[in-house]
Amino acid sequence: MKGLWLRRGGLSCLVLPQYGGMVGGVWLGERPVLRLEEGLLGRREALAGGIPLLFPFAGRCAGERVLIDGTHCPMPMHGFIRNMAFSVLRQWPDGCRLGLEVDNWPPYRLALTLDYHLEAGALVTSLRVRSLSPTALPMALGFHPYFRVEDRAGAKLAVGLEAYWDHLVQPPRRGVLTGPVDLTLDWDHVFQGHGVEATLICPAEGYGVRLTGDSSFKVVTLCTTQPGAVCVEPWQAPPDPVASGRARWLVPGGEERFGYRIALGKPTNRAFLSAAF
């Protein structure tokens, strides 16, 4: 597949600038960590796997629109970035920098700079958002890792949060996690709290990951509705954040930076296990 390959030590990563700047794959040695269905890439309503950027909103906005400065702006589920093509600004052996200027989704006029970098045992992602608009713009972005999990019964997940909204039912139902996460069940739950730190251990697949985000990320969304994948997603806010008052507002000419990190290792790594379970 055409893309940018990043490598460091036993880690490798494939970045797909043409599909919203997403990560298409991560490998720990020869073991794939992510699930990707290439045939679904580029479809408007489908998320093919990998790690798409969800921007400007990670979740659904009511009526698929948001009210900005008195005008309703259309807003698809997971935002409008994922099928836009980023430019490659720079590439080096274990990292790359991508860029995108948005000027065709009014009132959103933005310049995005997306960096990927492999550290020793980790994939680090950072995003810079700069406003080119005379209007204050709301956002509550996220990322959507599709971790490859064929044996859900043998996998273990700790999300570090207890309160959630269950989106498998409508209207969503509030609940509290009172025990371990049973991944043999179906999940489409938005866990809310004051930070993001989640650990997924997959012995059958031969990897473990720990996902952490900066202080802007307040939500972990867990979704298992896609076969062969467990999605553990760092979001900045729950769905419909403008209506609930939980959106971030980027002032005209303003700039913000966000980032998160996925540490990777073998599922027997005690540093993963002792910290989360």
Side-chain angles (χ1 to χ4, degrees):
M1 182 187 305
K2 185 178 179 181
L4 307 180
W5 283 97
L6 317 179
R7 294 182 173 88
R8 179 166 180 171
L11 292 183
S12 56
C13 174
L14 175 63
V15 178
L16 303 176
Q18 67 272 36
Y19 296 110
M22 68 181 288
V23 170
V26 174
W27 288 261
L28 181 62
E30 298 297 321
R31 296 182 179 273
V33 173
L34 303 176
R35 192 214 72 178
L36 180 70
E37 294 186 35
E38 293 184 35
L40 296 180
L41 286 170
R43 294 192 185 183
R44 180 174 174 82
E45 300 300 331
L47 287 171
I51 310 179
L53 165 62
L54 313 179
F55 184 90
F57 297 101
R60 187 183 301 278
C61 297
E64 295 200 342
R65 61 183 186 174
V66 291
L67 183 63
I68 304 173
D69 198 22
T71 301
H72 286 286
C73 172
M75 191 58 58
M77 175 69 169
H78 295 325
F80 53 71
I81 287 292
R82 64 181 181 269
N83 289 327
M84 293 184 177
F86 280 68
S87 300
V88 180
L89 303 180
R90 183 184 168 208
Q91 184 182 8
W92 56 101
D94 57 8
C96 66
R97 173 166 293 175
L98 310 179
L100 173 68
E101 189 165 309
V102 177
D103 60 6
N104 60 349
W105 202 283
Y108 283 90
R109 296 186 63 242
L110 300 158
L112 306 182
T113 305
L114 181 60
D115 285 9
Y116 295 109
H117 176 61
L118 293 178
E119 293 182 348
L123 169 64
V124 179
T125 301
S126 59
L127 176 68
R128 182 180 68 183
V129 183
R130 181 165 57 92
S131 173
L132 305 175
S133 172
T135 301
L137 301 174
M139 60 182 180
L141 61 91
F143 293 86
H144 198 313
Y146 281 75
F147 294 111
R148 176 178 166 269
V149 182
E150 300 293 341
D151 179 18
R152 283 166 55 177
K156 298 174 67 176
L157 174 69
V159 294
L161 301 170
E162 296 178 345
Y164 62 75
W165 286 91
D166 177 0
H167 285 257
L168 289 172
V169 297
Q170 293 298 325
R173 180 175 57 207
R174 182 180 296 179
V176 176
L177 188 66
T178 58
V181 177
D182 183 354
L183 289 174
T184 65
L185 304 177
D186 288 332
W187 296 83
D188 191 5
H189 292 50
V190 178
F191 289 84
Q192 304 180 37
H194 300 287
V196 167
E197 183 170 346
T199 302
L200 177 65
I201 305 295
C202 304
E205 288 75 20
Y207 73 86
V209 297
R210 175 172 297 128
L211 188 154
T212 54
D214 67 32
S215 61
S216 72
F217 292 93
K218 309 295 186 185
V219 167
V220 175
T221 295
L222 169 61
C223 182
T224 62
T225 59
Q226 301 296 317
V230 170
C231 299
V232 184
E233 309 166 37
W235 291 10
Q236 291 183 330
D240 209 17
V242 175
S244 66
R246 299 187 64 175
R248 306 177 67 90
W249 288 83
L250 186 63
V251 300
E255 177 178 302
E256 293 201 50
R257 297 172 184 260
F258 312 105
Y260 82 107
R261 183 176 189 270
I262 299 177
L264 300 106
K266 295 181 179 179
T268 54
N269 188 320
R270 291 186 178 181
F272 281 93
L273 296 171
S274 61
F277 301 101

